[in-house]
Amino acid sequence: MIGLISATAAGAAARDRLAAAWPDRTRVYDGPVKDAVRSAFAECEQLVCFLATGAVVRLIAPLLGAKATDPGVVCVDEGGRFAVSLVGGHGGGANELARAVGESLAAQPVVTTATDAVGLPGLDTLGFPVEGAVAAVSRALLDGEPVALRAESAWPLPPLPLTEEGAHVVRVTDRAVEPAGNEVLLRPPSLVVGVGASRGAPADEVLGLVEDALRDAGLSPRSVAELATVDAKAEEPGIVTAAARLGVPLVTYSAGELAGIRVPNPSDAPRTAVGTPSVAEAAALARGGELLVPKRKSRRPDGRPAMATCAVVRRPARGRLAVVGLGPGARDLLTPRARAELRRAAVLVGLDQYVDQIRDLLRPGTRILESGLGAEEERARTAVAEARAGHAVALIGSGDAGVYAMASPALAEASDDVDVIGVPGVTAALAAGAILGAPLGHDHVSISLSDLHTPWEVIERRVRAAAEADIVVTFYNPRSRGRDWQLPKALAILAGHREPTTPVGVVRNASRPDESSRLTTLGELDPAWVDMMTVVTVGNTATRNIAGRMVTPRGYRWQESAQEEGR
Ligand code: SAH
């Protein structure tokens, strides 16, 4: 039971909201605060006091006994802004309670326990099915006790403080073992089950065969990542239903591809039926791995010929490569998804100045591989190599990591043995657009003026095309100390098709502390305002400066008629 105590009207209002949200778990203690706290402290496992921390400290000081037996106490301030875990953070569950109260009352939870502030990930939030002593092992991690990692292969975990030895164990295994009392089992998606079936094979027969095969081989169904078969069986109802019941995708390969895979037990029947000497074994082995269960046939209750075959392969661990855009600079333009991926990664790869931008968000133990300007190829290679070694990697870039940044060189290196997760970010053109007004209200392009990797003729051809097509243009990498003639040249090309009065927005360090911007025109822009921290957005022939804001009309009819009527 959670005892609720308040003194003021505002406190009582917040208290009643919590009592209404958790009617079965809470009990309101009325009367003089001192007596209420004393009774609640004796009778409840937890207290939420809608009082100042100072008052609560004085009230509970004489009541405190031992860490293991005292209730957890949370304080909520008069304004309902904070839920402070005061005592009993772990043993009394006050940290969890502060979070839950925070959620319920829209208050900020305040947790000062070291291990919690560190923000360990929950074992049940890692993306792998989990079994066993989750609460006990989580508690051990939180309390800083040694927890041993026993991984049969290197599946990508976030940075957990796991050791070689410990009284508690996190075990990564696809074997059908029961967790010990001090153990958590994480089930990696390591098993691929190849299936073949004659037309009309019942789903129960296919599913029964798969389950028997896994059980006999001592493998956990929770580690099955996918069912695999030949294209011709992609719609076979028994197979489709079996995959659905196992909760895994069905992947299919062409007969030609399967025919090229060497298997221990080829046969003539599938060769005549679908054009490959093996379906189950070949489909299971199509992406490589170790054959744990060679082809076996279903057993039919009526003794008639089997209608299904299956084979089980353990595939190599798949690393995880998240390509994460950090946005233009401001912390609140970093998306929650980007933040989550940064905390999910055990290895972070990026340019040193971008790493500095988010270093405080990383979990302790994250391995940081930073490099200086110009080392793009090395960064891409490193990120992919780390992911292939089975790690959880985040490769970061400013703005959007796919825009003039690391995503394409990295993905050009990556083969399909790693999982790639892209997290979009607010690219400079959008950050600048929001500052300028609405310059991108109609068709627009981005053009990089860096001729480091692109010949100038190519760049010029694209600028010319944009000029002729009357498209709004945002220039990235517009001008640097050693590269100063490209911007005037590009602007001159646009000026061949647009009036000198065409609005041009120049935004430097968008969303960063020294942000600046100006709205000028094609005729008046001074290239000296522009450097490598800047984007330059040139309007089309319809773009206007309206009340100091750059606006490219969307072309709505109602706007035209409004303008004609002088409204
Ligand atoms: N991936 C980045 C772009 C990298 S290219 C993105 O999506 O934004 C580098 C160029 O981007 C710089 O030369 C500059 O033109 C532009 N740029 C990046 N961040 C910027 C910011 N905060 N303000 C203005 N321009 C920026």
Side-chain angles (χ1 to χ4, degrees):
M1 190 57 63
I2 305 173
L4 306 181
I5 297 117
S6 64
T8 64
R15 175 200 68 189
D16 291 345
R17 266 161 55 213
L18 201 62
W22 301 341
D24 302 331
R25 297 166 51 199
T26 52
R27 179 171 157 200
V28 171
Y29 284 79
D30 282 319
V33 168
K34 190 172 172 194
D35 300 337
V37 168
R38 192 197 310 269
S39 309
F41 202 91
E43 294 164 10
C44 297
E45 293 83 53
Q46 296 179 318
L47 273 65
V48 179
C49 301
F50 297 85
L51 301 166
T53 51
V56 178
V57 167
R58 285 175 205 291
L59 288 166
I60 65 171
L63 309 173
L64 289 173
K67 203 168 161 177
T69 50
D70 284 340
V73 179
V74 167
C75 293
V76 176
D77 67 296
E78 180 77 9
R81 288 176 306 151
F82 302 106
V84 185
S85 168
L86 194 68
V87 295
H90 288 148
N95 294 350
E96 269 317 302
L97 182 61
R99 287 194 195 97
V101 169
E103 192 102 308
S104 194
L105 297 181
Q108 169 81 39
V110 179
V111 172
T112 56
T113 321
T115 44
D116 279 46
V118 149
L120 288 168
L123 290 169
D124 49 355
T125 65
L126 303 181
F128 299 123
V130 54
E131 296 163 30
V134 176
V137 175
S138 301
R139 177 64 50 84
L141 280 170
L142 288 175
D143 289 347
E145 289 170 17
V147 176
L149 174 66
R150 304 249 158 80
E152 282 155 25
S153 53
W155 286 87
L157 295 177
L160 288 164
L162 299 172
T163 55
E164 297 214 338
E165 296 296 328
H168 296 271
V169 175
V170 170
R171 186 166 167 198
V172 184
T173 183
D174 56 23
R175 292 174 205 280
V177 287
E178 284 298 316
N182 62 343
E183 195 174 57
V184 159
L185 300 181
L186 296 177
R187 298 298 190 186
S190 56
L191 303 176
V192 178
V193 182
V195 286
S198 332
R199 181 169 310 147
D204 286 341
E205 183 172 339
V206 177
L207 198 60
L209 169 68
V210 171
E211 284 169 349
D212 287 350
L214 292 168
R215 186 176 331 104
D216 293 351
L219 296 168
S220 169
R222 301 185 83 190
S223 271
V224 174
E226 58 194 35
L227 252 50
T229 189
V230 65
D231 284 345
K233 298 291 173 185
E235 315 268 307
E236 184 60 41
I239 297 182
V240 172
T241 306
R245 289 214 206 132
L246 285 165
V248 299
L250 175 66
V251 299
T252 65
Y253 300 95
S254 72
E257 193 174 347
L258 295 185
I261 292 166
R262 276 180 39 155
V263 297
N265 301 296
S267 70
D268 281 333
R271 200 198 315 267
T272 24
V274 287
T276 163
S278 167
V279 173
E281 287 183 349
L285 283 165
R287 295 261 177 82
E290 178 197 355
L291 186 63
L292 301 179
V293 180
K295 179 174 76 176
R296 58 185 272 171
K297 293 182 181 171
S298 50
R299 244 171 273 135
R300 286 179 64 88
D302 52 12
R304 302 241 297 276
M307 294 186 81
T309 56
C310 87
V312 183
V313 160
R314 179 181 285 139
R315 60 179 183 169
R318 291 176 69 78
R320 193 169 194 283
L321 176 62
V323 185
V324 182
L326 302 181
R331 181 53 63 81
D332 61 353
L333 291 180
L334 176 85
T335 66
R337 190 180 298 188
R339 183 185 287 255
E341 283 298 339
L342 294 174
R343 297 176 69 74
R344 173 72 181 77
V347 182
L348 184 89
V349 183
L351 186 65
D352 42 17
Q353 70 195 65
Y354 301 150
V355 176
D356 287 340
Q357 205 175 313
I358 47 81
R359 202 182 293 273
D360 61 300
L361 293 177
L362 303 176
R363 287 206 157 106
T366 307
R367 196 146 51 85
I368 300 175
L369 305 174
E370 45 193 322
S371 43
L373 264 177
E376 279 87 8
E377 188 181 344
E378 181 206 321
R379 272 199 293 284
R381 289 244 159 86
T382 306
V384 172
E386 290 287 341
R388 283 180 124 165
H391 299 301
V393 182
L395 175 63
I396 57 171
S398 84
D400 184 277
V403 176
Y404 307 123
M406 294 307 298
S408 41
L411 299 201
E413 287 283 315
S415 38
D416 73 356
D417 56 356
V418 297
D419 292 327
V420 173
I421 294 98
V423 182
V426 177
T427 187
L430 299 184
I435 292 163
L436 293 167
L440 309 183
H442 215 296
D443 299 334
H444 54 276
V445 287
S446 293
I447 298 179
S448 167
L449 292 183
S450 168
D451 52 3
L452 211 59
H453 307 290
T454 309
W456 176 253
E457 302 75 69
V458 173
I459 298 172
E460 190 173 316
R461 180 150 46 88
R462 292 178 185 170
V463 176
R464 212 171 284 290
E468 284 165 7
D470 196 27
I471 299 177
V472 174
V473 183
T474 300
F475 291 116
Y476 281 66
N477 301 307
R479 181 171 179 270
S480 68
R481 229 171 287 148
R483 218 166 33 71
D484 57 3
W485 55 264
Q486 288 86 347
L487 178 65
K489 182 90 211 256
L491 292 173
I493 295 170
L494 292 176
H497 295 79
R498 301 178 195 184
E499 295 296 323
T501 53
T502 304
V504 176
V506 177
V507 179
R508 183 165 190 277
N509 279 326
S511 93
R512 295 176 188 150
D514 45 352
E515 168 186 309
S516 64
S517 70
R518 61 173 98 208
L519 183 50
T520 177
T521 62
L522 210 39
E524 282 167 5
L525 181 134
D526 179 353
W529 299 332
V530 177
D531 65 6
M532 280 298 274
M533 314 294 221
T534 311
V535 282
V536 177
T537 297
V538 182
N540 66 16
T541 51
T543 305
R544 295 288 171 266
N545 176 337
I546 298 176
R549 302 188 189 99
M550 185 170 174
V551 180
T552 301
R554 183 72 186 81
Y556 293 118
R557 291 245 178 72
W558 56 265
Q559 283 197 314
E560 280 166 31
S561 52
Q563 269 159 17
E564 274 161 26
E565 286 161 29
R567 273 191 271 149

